[in-house]
Amino acid sequence: MTSTIDPKLIGKPAPRPRRHVRTLTGYFPEKDASGKEIWPRGDENVWKDGTRAIDKDVPDVTKSIINHVNTSLARQAYNIDDMGAYQAVALAARDDLLINWNETQLNYTRKAPKRAYYLSLEFLMGRTLDNALLNLGLKDNFTQGVDKLGFNIEDIIDKERDAALGNGGLGRLAACYLDSSASQELPVWGYGLRYKYGIFQQLIAPDGSQLEAPDPWLEHSNPWELPRVDVTIDVRFYGHAERLDNGKAIWSGGQEVLAVAYDVMIPGYHTKTTNNLRLWESKPKRGFDLNSFNAGDYEKAVQSSNSAETITSVLYPNDNTMVGKELRLKQQYFWTAASLNDIMRRFKNYGKPITEFPEYVAIQLNDTHPTLAIPELMRLLVDEEDVPWDKAWSIVTSTFFFTNHTVLPEALEKWPVPLMQHLLPRHMQIIFDLNLTFLQAVEKKFPGDRDRLARMSLIQEGYPQYVRMANLACIGSRRVNGVAELHSELVKTTIMKDFVEFFGVSKFSNVTNGITPRRWLDQCNPALSTLITETLGCTKNEWLKDLYKLEGLLKHVDDPKFQKKWAAIKQSNKERLAHHVEVTLGIKINTKAMFDVQIKRLHEYKRQTLNLLGVVHRYLALKKMTPEQRKKINPRVVFFAGKAAPGYYIAKLTIRLIVNVARVINADPDTKDYLSMFFLPDYSVTLAEILIPASDLSQHISTAGTEASGTSNMKFCLNGGLLLGTVDGANIEIAEEVGDSNVFFFGHLTPAVEELRYQHTYHPVPVEEKCPALAAVLDEISAGRFGDGSVYEPLLNTIRQGDYYLLTEDFDSYIQALSMVDAAYQDRTEWIKKSIRTTAKMGKFSSDRAILTYAEEFWNIEACKVP
Ligand code: NBG
């Protein structure tokens, strides 16, 4: 352990959070005797005259860009390239955002509304420039301005590197919710970490396997963040906690690091409201240890600063898995402690008694990652604010709300007690104390039910003991929700069953996930957005903010002219994707074929393997056909993209097999006109924005009961792609909306899964008997048709033995569903109608609906419009 111990602090109470002298997000205006506001400083008119306004027209825009070229970048027309132009344009757009951002923060400070905070360890923002220009309503002006300066806006947009501070759906959902909060003018801030390296870059090695490279996204400076070097918070680790009377304690010693704030502007769509996402960076409290340096030990002198800086150096590349690394726990505490302290001092600036905290603050816990916020708020209240224990607990349990995003056992967070005791001695005491009181209450309600006590305990017994974060999040929160109807039901009947019996069912509910139609239609599919606006007869702003308006498209489903336009847009999006693939990978794609897409993290439960084996099955069938027979076949291009966690062996092997199967079938002259397959490396938000509008069909084929919601399913359907899926997650609600005849469902249902798994374990049937078609596919792979078969045995054996994800059970009905897809695609007009109907019925899946549910039903906050 490397730590910087401040000898002065040993044995002394931890310092209180500094009383806030001023906030960086606006002053409280003072008033004179007559109640009139006093201008805070200098000559009011000089200030007002000198304050920049938002760019109004093209000359404003070009002037601002040129100014940044000359000043911020110190360049001229002679030496500016696309990258430089991107930076200057981004800085110009940022200036516009900042005007709204400043006004928004001042407005919040003045009105002092109840605020909500979204704590998420991941925010998968993607690119910002295009989104910022669209939300500001300045895209046209910037396009023209950039053109006049001799650049092309699309090329400039393309220079931006994704902010990829997330793994997948959970992080992207957080980003969509920020967009919706701002668009709905809700006083919501996000809190996260500013990782130096986001999700790794994925490369594909010559043998087809995934390689990982770091993602140095901050290499070129990041124009979208405001470093707040003066907003800092001290965060302590290790040390010791000494109990005092009445539940209080003093935590001292150990290592202290500094959390430094970076603010990211979150513009709402066509509103002034521009919210804030505050990301924390870790810094050593003292640059280096002067004693060691003076003693000649330079390395030791910088050790503590290195250890402080590593806390926010890297995003853990895990999605739906838990890795018990100490550094990850450190990240979680660092972030929750900094955020809670920041929230507390902002609340204190409201000047209200501490007991009113929950009337001004609501905190949403995005999965269990921020659960330490619960004992941290207890610590702040009890140890630092002198609030009695029971009162503190009632404040805590009125403040937090908890969203669960998975029922997969391997993803439920548990931390070893010895680790937590070492790293966070005071929090461990608090957790033990809470547990005792809680279990006493359980005992009172269910006397003598010891199994129940063991199940509900915050501590899992064993060697070592573990802290169960979901249990802690549940008892510390006012409400608990899942992310789609089925998932929320599963939360209530499986992982939280005992808690439902204890607290009553009204604490548990559902908020089905949503996506922002701004990014996931207007921005990624501008031609479709324009056609929709023309057709609906309302403004774009109106339907983008009330997505149910898309139903107006239903009237036009049978109009051949409209169908033709609709189909032409899909076709040009397919060509755009083909062009992208040709430019980046040097591969030509047949755009007349059906585009069939599965893009998501590689995970056994998501069953990319099922899709892959289906492709091999089709390939083998094509090989058996005569050339004449093949001509009747519907040509298909299958796209895969997605990253595997670096330590997830089976998932990585799946990528390798996809790549090698693709090599064989794409090179086969007999079949390549009818079937081809591509693995597009380095999946990202930006790649999704190209793939999704181009898909005819997308696959969401998880084993029933495993995918909590899924959100890309919504994105595809919003862009008129049809869905092939299992009866799982949000697929179910999509089908309810668009109608069963417009989706392709297959596979066993959730209630059957447990029994099937039991049968697989205790009464196994060989795959040759259970599913001969699948057995034939597996045998071809083993026999080396796609390269050395022995390499893939571990993957194939997951199916042959145990088959936990039930591929042998679902393969036949999957193949049948694919035939139905083929048949449906033959009737192109009917297919287009399905596509239009699908888009038309996606109103429910706007993240605006979801965020308003959180705001109204949980947080109890209201819109706070900027005048
Ligand atoms: C993921 C689920 C998805 C869901 C997103 C967003 C985790 C732990 N869960 O199905 O697997 O769409 O969360 O809710 O990443």
Side-chain angles (χ1 to χ4, degrees):
M1 180 187 97
T2 46
S3 60
T4 306
I5 297 173
D6 183 348
K8 288 196 299 292
L9 276 176
I10 294 176
K12 296 238 180 81
R16 285 164 185 249
R18 280 168 301 155
R19 170 84 189 129
H20 215 187
V21 188
R22 70 181 189 93
T23 81
L24 284 142
T25 53
Y27 296 91
F28 265 118
E30 280 178 32
K31 293 182 179 158
D32 66 15
S34 70
K36 192 173 160 287
E37 271 181 21
I38 306 169
W39 183 253
R41 176 153 308 178
D43 185 329
E44 180 169 356
N45 291 329
V46 173
W47 274 97
K48 289 195 167 157
D49 290 346
T51 299
R52 187 189 185 286
I54 291 194
D55 294 321
K56 286 187 302 295
D57 48 27
V58 179
D60 277 353
V61 167
T62 47
K63 204 166 140 196
S64 172
I65 296 172
I66 294 166
N67 178 44
H68 280 296
V69 169
N70 293 157
T71 60
S72 313
L73 306 180
R75 295 209 215 171
Q76 291 167 304
Y78 299 99
N79 61 353
I80 185 111
D81 55 2
D82 272 357
M83 187 64 200
Y86 158 68
Q87 286 170 323
V89 169
L91 289 167
R94 163 183 136 141
D95 288 348
D96 287 324
L97 289 177
L98 271 173
I99 293 163
N100 285 342
W101 186 90
N102 274 326
E103 274 195 48
T104 306
Q105 307 316 319
L106 181 65
N107 181 52
Y108 290 161
T109 307
R110 278 170 191 267
K111 293 197 183 139
K114 180 171 186 184
R115 299 169 182 243
Y117 298 99
Y118 198 81
L119 265 58
S120 180
L121 210 40
E122 303 187 9
F123 287 93
L124 190 46
M125 305 297 281
R127 286 178 175 161
T128 295
L129 177 58
D130 201 11
N131 181 256
L133 295 180
L134 285 166
N135 281 13
L136 285 163
L138 288 175
K139 178 89 188 260
D140 287 345
N141 283 347
F142 268 74
T143 305
Q144 288 173 42
V146 161
D147 187 60
K148 283 193 193 304
L149 298 175
F151 291 93
N152 170 288
I153 192 82
E154 298 307 325
D155 295 342
I156 285 180
I157 286 171
D158 224 32
K159 284 288 159 199
E160 182 173 355
R161 199 192 257 275
D162 277 35
L165 307 186
N167 275 283
L170 176 138
R172 184 53 234 176
L173 183 76
C176 283
Y177 282 175
L178 292 184
D179 178 273
S180 281
S181 300
S183 296
Q184 297 296 328
E185 304 179 271
L186 295 167
V188 175
W189 274 30
Y191 274 107
L193 288 182
R194 179 182 184 268
Y195 303 106
K196 191 164 162 205
Y197 297 97
I199 189 70
F200 64 86
Q201 269 184 63
Q202 180 191 54
L203 307 166
I204 301 298
D207 71 358
S209 39
Q210 167 180 292
L211 298 176
E212 299 97 27
D215 161 45
W217 73 293
L218 294 168
E219 212 170 42
H220 298 282
S221 69
N222 173 14
W224 306 111
E225 64 183 10
L226 304 165
R228 293 291 193 182
V229 285
D230 43 354
V231 179
T232 61
I233 288 173
D234 297 350
V235 179
R236 183 185 305 277
F237 294 102
Y238 311 106
H240 39 86
E242 192 187 322
R243 284 185 183 274
L244 306 174
D245 294 341
N246 50 39
K248 289 179 61 155
I250 296 175
W251 179 26
S252 56
Q255 176 192 27
E256 273 189 280
V257 299
L258 214 57
V260 182
Y262 284 73
D263 288 347
V264 180
M265 296 143 276
I266 308 292
Y269 183 75
H270 283 210
T271 158
K272 277 194 194 165
T273 298
T274 301
N275 280 336
N276 196 27
L277 165 61
R278 180 158 282 181
L279 302 177
W280 299 106
E281 182 189 50
S282 59
K283 272 267 156 76
K285 222 182 141 179
R286 273 164 287 273
F288 64 50
D289 168 9
L290 202 59
N291 290 336
S292 303
F293 183 72
N294 289 340
D297 192 344
Y298 183 76
E299 216 175 295
K300 196 164 163 228
V302 291
Q303 233 169 34
S304 69
S305 76
N306 286 341
S307 101
E309 269 157 13
T310 47
I311 296 175
T312 54
S313 64
V314 54
L315 164 79
Y316 276 93
N318 300 301
D319 175 279
N320 269 299
T321 42
M322 150 82 194
V323 281
K325 290 270 170 28
E326 175 171 346
L327 185 60
R328 168 80 168 191
L329 187 59
K330 266 187 125 167
Q331 289 186 336
Q332 294 188 350
Y333 180 64
F334 171 80
W335 154 61
T336 49
S339 308
L340 253 288
N341 278 270
D342 201 39
I343 291 168
M344 178 62 87
R345 68 183 187 186
R346 189 168 307 111
F347 165 76
K348 286 191 159 185
N349 275 359
Y350 278 20
K352 305 284 179 189
I354 191 81
T355 46
E356 288 179 20
F357 191 79
E359 277 145 62
Y360 292 92
V361 177
I363 301 176
Q364 190 71 38
L365 306 174
N366 197 27
D367 219 55
T368 50
H369 316 148
T371 303
L372 285 169
I374 289 169
E376 174 66 5
L377 184 55
M378 277 305 275
R379 188 186 73 79
L380 288 179
L381 292 171
V382 173
D383 296 354
E384 305 203 344
E385 301 296 332
D386 295 320
V387 179
W389 181 274
D390 291 343
K391 181 66 215 164
W393 186 238
S394 100
I395 292 174
V396 167
T397 52
S398 308
T399 300
F400 289 106
F401 299 85
F402 166 48
T403 306
N404 167 284
H405 292 266
T406 181
V407 294
L408 297 184
E410 67 267 33
L412 295 181
E413 284 197 300
K414 289 187 294 188
W415 290 102
V417 168
L419 171 62
M420 202 174 284
Q421 213 141 30
H422 178 53
L423 191 67
L424 301 168
R426 177 58 183 140
H427 297 77
M428 203 56 244
Q429 284 176 351
I430 291 172
I431 292 170
F432 277 130
D433 290 358
L434 290 174
N435 198 36
L436 181 62
T437 325
F438 171 62
L439 290 181
Q440 283 167 347
V442 175
E443 169 67 22
K444 204 162 171 197
K445 188 154 184 179
F446 302 98
D449 192 344
R450 293 179 191 205
D451 289 344
R452 182 183 297 268
L453 290 173
R455 290 193 304 268
M456 295 182 77
S457 175
L458 304 183
I459 307 295
Q460 176 183 304
E461 293 305 330
Y463 305 95
Q465 296 172 307
Y466 282 91
V467 184
R468 294 165 166 155
M469 303 310 267
N471 292 17
L472 179 54
C474 175
I475 72 161
S477 297
R478 195 150 115 196
R479 300 289 296 274
V480 177
N481 74 284
V483 290
E485 292 286 352
L486 171 69
H487 168 66
S488 297
E489 248 347 272
L490 289 173
V491 168
K492 284 191 279 187
T493 53
T494 62
I495 56 172
M496 290 286 155
K497 184 166 183 280
D498 293 314
F499 292 85
V500 171
E501 285 163 14
F502 178 75
F503 288 109
V505 73
S506 60
K507 174 168 172 152
F508 300 84
S509 60
N510 173 60
V511 183
T512 298
N513 284 166
I515 56 169
T516 168
R518 272 78 64 181
R519 182 176 294 263
W520 296 111
L521 206 174
D522 186 41
Q523 185 184 319
C524 72
N525 200 344
L528 192 65
S529 175
T530 305
L531 176 63
I532 290 172
T533 307
E534 283 165 15
T535 311
L536 289 181
C538 62
T539 65
K540 189 165 86 173
N541 187 22
E542 281 168 331
W543 67 263
L544 278 178
K545 280 200 175 161
D546 175 7
L547 205 59
Y548 284 105
K549 287 214 156 62
L550 287 178
E551 284 195 17
L553 296 174
L554 289 175
K555 284 208 295 267
H556 306 270
V557 168
D558 294 315
D559 171 2
K561 276 209 225 109
F562 182 65
Q563 292 166 1
K564 216 169 141 200
K565 289 185 191 161
W566 192 269
I569 290 168
K570 182 61 81 185
Q571 187 58 34
S572 79
N573 288 333
K574 289 165 78 169
E575 275 149 27
R576 178 174 68 158
L577 170 60
H579 176 75
H580 174 84
V581 173
E582 198 173 338
V583 170
T584 53
L585 302 177
I587 299 166
K588 268 204 168 350
I589 293 179
N590 169 16
T591 58
K592 292 275 171 291
M594 167 193 267
F595 279 17
D596 173 352
V597 186
Q598 188 180 19
I599 46 175
K600 44 188 88 238
R601 282 301 284 257
L602 266 287
H603 218 297
E604 283 165 283
Y605 86 82
K606 294 181 188 278
R607 300 202 294 192
Q608 281 92 351
T609 316
L610 181 60
N611 185 353
L612 169 64
L613 298 174
V615 171
V616 174
H617 179 267
R618 192 178 183 88
Y619 172 64
L620 298 176
L622 279 166
K623 285 297 275 182
K624 287 197 192 120
M625 291 178 191
T626 63
E628 285 313 306
Q629 285 172 318
R630 281 183 205 130
K631 287 203 177 110
K632 296 196 195 107
I633 294 297
N634 165 34
R636 192 183 208 125
V637 183
V638 180
F639 295 92
F640 286 92
K643 293 175 182 177
Y648 193 167
Y649 176 63
I650 293 295
K652 289 177 98 169
L653 206 48
T654 309
I655 294 181
R656 186 165 171 185
L657 184 54
I658 294 172
V659 172
N660 284 301
V661 169
R663 278 185 185 145
V664 172
I665 66 177
N666 295 350
D668 190 328
D670 295 343
T671 60
K672 70 182 177 44
D673 292 339
Y674 306 100
L675 179 64
S676 54
M677 180 164 99
F678 300 98
F679 184 88
L680 306 185
D682 207 31
Y683 182 49
S684 62
V685 171
T686 294
L687 186 56
E689 289 170 19
I690 303 172
L691 275 158
I692 289 170
S695 103
D696 295 302
L697 183 79
S698 70
Q699 301 206 24
H700 309 273
I701 56 178
S702 49
T703 311
T706 62
E707 188 70 276
S709 163
T711 40
S712 77
N713 42 8
M714 303 168 187
K715 295 166 196 165
F716 281 104
C717 291
L718 184 60
N719 285 276
L722 302 195
L723 182 149
L724 167 60
T726 44
V727 185
D728 200 17
N731 291 354
I732 301 172
E733 288 156 75
I734 291 175
E736 274 167 16
E737 294 297 303
V738 306
D740 281 349
S741 59
N742 296 311
V743 297
F744 302 94
F745 267 161
F746 73 95
H748 285 87
L749 306 185
T750 302
V753 168
E754 206 184 308
E755 172 66 18
L756 288 170
R757 283 183 174 156
Y758 165 83
Q759 292 298 338
H760 283 205
T761 308
Y762 297 104
H763 309 283
V765 178
V767 58
E768 290 74 16
E769 267 172 57
K770 180 170 282 268
C771 187
L774 178 59
V777 169
L778 299 180
D779 289 348
E780 285 289 326
I781 298 169
S782 290
R785 187 137 187 177
F786 307 102
D788 184 358
S790 67
V791 170
Y792 304 110
E793 277 322 283
L795 169 61
L796 305 180
N797 284 341
T798 62
I799 303 165
R800 290 188 177 122
Q801 296 155 18
D803 187 24
Y804 188 75
Y805 294 102
L806 308 181
L807 277 78
T808 57
E809 299 293 341
D810 284 349
F811 189 75
D812 289 335
S813 74
Y814 176 61
I815 298 297
Q816 258 176 32
L818 283 167
S819 312
M820 285 166 63
V821 169
D822 283 326
Y825 199 67
Q826 300 285 1
D827 183 349
R828 206 54 63 87
T829 308
E830 192 45 46
W831 184 277
I832 293 163
K833 288 188 191 171
K834 284 181 193 296
S835 165
I836 300 169
R837 281 191 207 112
T838 300
T839 302
K841 297 295 287 182
M842 292 306 290
K844 169 172 172 183
F845 302 99
S846 170
S847 44
D848 294 352
R849 181 268 312 152
I851 212 69
L852 285 170
T853 310
Y854 282 100
E856 285 160 17
E857 287 182 21
F858 297 172
W859 307 334
N860 195 19
I861 61 166
E862 285 171 3
C864 182
K865 292 184 198 294
V866 182

